Amino acid sequence: MLGSRLKLRWSGITGGVHLLRLHKERRMSSRGATVMSFGDGSQGALGLPLSQIGLGVDAYEPTRIPGLPSNIVCLSAGHYHSLAVTSHGHLWAWGRNNEAQLGRGLSPRESWNEPKRVLGLEQVNVRAAFASGVVSAAIDDDGSLWVWGKSKRGQLGLGKDIIMAVAPAKVRALAGEKVTKVSFGWGHALALTVDGRLYGWGYSADGRLGKMGGLERSPLDSNDDILENTRQPSSPDLEVAEKQVLEAMERENNMPIVWEPCLVEEFCGVEVVDIACGLDHSLVLCCDHTLLSGGSNIYGQLGRMRQDLGFFPVDKILCPISIASGLGHSLAICRFAALDDASEETRSVASWGWNQNSQLGRAGPENLPSLVEALEGENPISVSGGRAHSLVLTLGGDLWVWGSGRNGRLGLGSSSDETEPFYLDSLEGCEVMQAVSGFDHNLVLVAE
């Protein structure tokens, strides 16, 4: 960490994060913001012209995205594409568009890297957007949910056998609900409403939607070869292992699909406060700080010894307040009261699951939550997971990265992996507002 420990840190108090966010939002509204990206640009998800980053398609350090308005207020990184929302409720998109997930119809590959307005939302005041590999979503200020893209697994939630929407379409099954957040896996989705109700839809195998759609295992979890390869140190590299996973998914027949959003039975009467979907698992955080997980557990991403299908509590995790998922690993920000002053608190990051590329940021058991010791005292306020890397934004506006550095996805100027969190000093002096990771790329929102 090369001297980064000499940086002064502020010890947050309860409510301090909210006050700081309000202060930053006011500054952004008057000063504007810049969006930066780094990592794998092969699908156009960086939004950078080739001339700006040389002959290659990757960016090894945070690089400003041209062509975006200066009033961006929030970002979302899908697997291979990106979304940005302005203060006026306009939505911009760039990146992979084979499945029409950019909301501008099918377009030639050479135009994927160009940020453009999403068409069909001109009468919608977008206040949040979310992305997966093949689907995009926007939430109107009235709480209605709009989706577009292509998914044979029912991820659109638009009704039986509807697998494609070239233009944004409203999810009628959620009419009357005020949705605040959506999270997408590879083929399933969860939605959280303003009153803490939880809806799910899409591919339901392995209990990633709880009891919804029935409890049955997918060919992925029943394939012992894949299970063994992903756990052994001598296993194939990340791309080969993922290819095995996707091939197993393609072999599935008669997929159990929930075509429209339905209430997740296990959480009826329980207030949910946060959700996160990995490739094939789900995390649900309740208001009493109970964290439950469901879905595939071949990487230990459920964080529990109990192997039953459905939602059950994550083991040995204390007071989680925010959660995130990568492809096969899970992350949580946990809160602790200071020993000498009950009015003060500290925050730490816990991680568990797949660690072949050090995306957990720590050593030790991988199948149960454990704290990332290198982040002690850093007061994290947001955490995000990619395919094989992770990042954390702190209360002081510092960005920490770790895991696989391939294609520059850590933004450190090289392809080297980092086994522990490393301070991204190229953003020193910048007021970082938000940082999110896609599979292999990252987006950073910086106040001007």
Side-chain angles (χ1 to χ4, degrees):
M1 282 161 271
L2 301 177
S4 59
R5 290 294 180 188
L6 297 178
K7 292 170 60 66
L8 294 176
R9 301 295 174 200
W10 181 82
S11 297
I13 59 174
T14 303
V17 172
H18 302 292
L19 291 176
L20 183 64
R21 284 176 177 167
L22 178 60
H23 173 64
K24 287 185 174 181
E25 287 172 1
R26 288 173 177 168
R27 295 189 68 180
M28 285 176 62
S29 64
S30 61
R31 296 167 52 197
T34 295
V35 181
M36 307 179 81
S37 63
F38 56 94
D40 185 349
S42 62
Q43 303 286 328
L46 298 183
L48 303 176
L50 293 181
S51 59
Q52 186 168 336
I53 54 176
L55 297 177
V57 293
D58 301 332
Y60 284 79
E61 292 184 352
T63 306
R64 180 182 177 275
I65 300 176
L68 281 172
S70 63
N71 62 337
I72 300 297
V73 294
C74 67
L75 305 168
S76 178
H79 296 176
Y80 308 111
H81 70 291
S82 306
L83 302 173
V85 181
T86 73
S87 60
H88 294 148
H90 302 161
L91 182 61
W92 291 66
W94 61 97
R96 178 184 170 96
N97 198 37
N98 272 348
E99 295 80 21
Q101 57 265 61
L102 298 188
R104 57 194 189 210
L106 296 175
S107 57
R109 186 183 181 94
E110 55 267 24
S111 69
W112 289 1
N113 65 314
E114 301 173 10
K116 293 183 179 180
R117 281 278 305 273
V118 173
L119 303 178
L121 293 174
E122 290 79 8
Q123 305 303 314
V124 176
N125 186 17
V126 178
R127 62 179 177 83
F130 305 91
S132 71
V134 294
V135 171
S136 298
I139 298 177
D140 195 350
D141 60 2
D142 66 0
S144 59
L145 178 65
W146 296 73
V147 296
W148 59 98
K150 180 180 180 180
S151 174
K152 67 180 182 180
R153 298 173 181 272
Q155 206 172 27
L156 290 170
L158 295 174
K160 185 172 176 57
D161 297 327
I162 298 178
I163 63 172
M164 190 168 188
V166 175
K170 183 181 289 189
V171 180
R172 301 296 177 183
L174 289 172
E177 294 285 359
K178 293 185 177 181
V179 178
T180 61
K181 182 178 182 179
V182 180
S183 185
F184 293 102
W186 191 263
H188 70 292
L190 294 174
L192 177 62
T193 70
V194 69
D195 57 0
R197 288 153 63 92
L198 181 65
Y199 285 83
W201 65 95
Y203 183 53
S204 65
D206 303 319
R208 67 198 71 184
L209 296 178
K211 299 177 182 178
M212 190 186 306
L215 294 175
E216 62 177 84
R217 294 195 179 277
S218 71
L220 175 63
D221 260 12
S222 62
N223 191 315
D224 293 336
D225 291 336
I226 294 178
L227 179 63
E228 185 65 19
N229 282 341
T230 55
R231 286 182 175 172
Q232 294 300 318
S234 60
S235 64
D237 65 16
L238 181 63
E239 283 69 25
V240 174
E242 183 187 357
K243 182 179 180 181
Q244 290 179 303
V245 171
L246 297 180
E247 287 176 349
M249 294 171 71
E250 290 297 328
R251 290 196 298 268
E252 295 168 339
N253 294 313
N254 300 317
M255 295 180 293
I257 292 177
V258 178
W259 289 99
E260 293 184 341
C262 298
L263 279 169
V264 181
E265 177 182 335
E266 292 91 323
F267 296 94
C268 290
V270 177
E271 183 181 353
V272 174
V273 296
D274 201 5
I275 52 176
C277 293
L279 182 87
D280 49 15
H281 77 289
S282 305
L283 301 175
V284 179
L285 180 61
C286 301
C287 64
D288 63 356
H289 302 290
T290 298
L291 178 60
L292 295 97
S293 61
S296 172
N297 198 34
I298 64 171
Y299 310 122
Q301 64 265 51
L302 297 187
R304 52 180 167 87
M305 298 302 296
R306 185 169 181 173
Q307 299 300 309
D308 304 56
L309 296 183
F311 284 109
F312 295 96
V314 171
D315 294 341
K316 299 181 180 180
I317 188 166
L318 298 175
C319 203
I321 59 173
S322 179
I323 53 178
S325 295
L327 181 150
H329 69 292
S330 302
L331 302 156
I333 296 178
C334 301
R335 184 178 65 197
F336 306 90
L339 295 177
D340 56 349
D341 188 346
S343 66
E344 293 191 1
E345 67 177 33
T346 59
R347 294 167 183 246
S348 299
V349 173
S351 62
W352 62 98
W354 198 3
N355 198 33
Q356 189 172 2
N357 290 81
S358 302
Q359 55 264 55
L360 297 187
R362 61 170 178 82
E366 300 171 357
N367 64 329
L368 293 177
S370 186
L371 295 181
V372 181
E373 294 183 359
L375 289 171
E376 182 178 354
E378 297 300 333
N379 288 303
I381 59 172
S382 72
V383 61
S384 187
R387 184 204 305 247
H389 73 288
S390 306
L391 56 83
V392 157
L393 179 63
T394 72
L395 187 63
D398 296 331
L399 188 59
W400 296 75
V401 295
W402 65 94
S404 171
R406 186 170 181 176
N407 304 109
R409 66 190 72 171
L410 297 184
L412 296 172
S414 75
S415 294
S416 299
D417 293 354
E418 293 295 337
T419 59
E420 291 186 349
F422 197 101
Y423 172 62
L424 191 54
D425 58 5
S426 62
L427 292 174
E428 181 79 44
C430 296
E431 188 176 1
V432 179
M433 316 302 299
Q434 185 187 13
V436 294
S437 58
F439 255 22
D440 304 321
H441 75 287
N442 307 274
L443 303 175
V444 181
L445 186 64
V446 179
E448 294 180 348

